[in-house]
Amino acid sequence: MMIRLELTIEQVDYGALIQRFLPILRGSGHPLGAMPAEMVKRWAAALPTERKEQLAAELLNANREALLEAASAALGRQGIPLRLGGGRASVVK
């Protein structure tokens, strides 16, 4: 048996998100990984909100396992013994 937990991200610092995951993008061969960090941040800042949200969802999904492990560890440190698995980021309108 599994319990499904749905969460909504209400606020995103797109520049910080891109800066955090840019080294991973560089290693994955993603086109953004070839651009200097400041250029990527300026490019992302100029995007319409809908595209920024899509990009954020893509970055979160590409790093899903690391995020789930970090969230599970943080819950454990708070005395909440949950192991998170699965999940997928998507834009909700």
Side-chain angles (χ1 to χ4, degrees):
M1 177 177 9
M2 289 189 292
I3 298 170
R4 182 173 298 243
L5 171 66
E6 291 188 27
L7 302 172
T8 302
I9 298 172
E10 294 181 350
Q11 184 177 355
V12 177
D13 180 338
Y14 298 103
L17 186 68
I18 288 171
Q19 186 169 346
R20 168 66 180 89
F21 291 120
L22 193 58
I24 296 167
L25 291 175
R26 284 198 173 106
S28 71
H30 191 284
L32 289 178
M35 297 169 63
E38 285 304 313
M39 184 181 292
V40 174
K41 286 169 60 175
R42 283 193 305 270
W43 169 79
L47 292 174
T49 301
E50 184 175 297
R51 182 61 188 116
K52 286 181 194 177
E53 290 170 345
Q54 290 171 334
L55 179 60
E58 290 170 16
L59 289 170
L60 293 171
N61 286 326
N63 296 282
R64 175 180 31 244
E65 292 304 316
L67 293 169
L68 290 171
E69 286 180 27
S72 294
L75 289 167
R77 287 191 299 275
Q78 296 298 315
I80 304 169
L82 297 178
R83 175 81 180 134
L84 301 176
R88 181 144 194 86
S90 61
V91 178
V92 178
K93 298 186 184 210

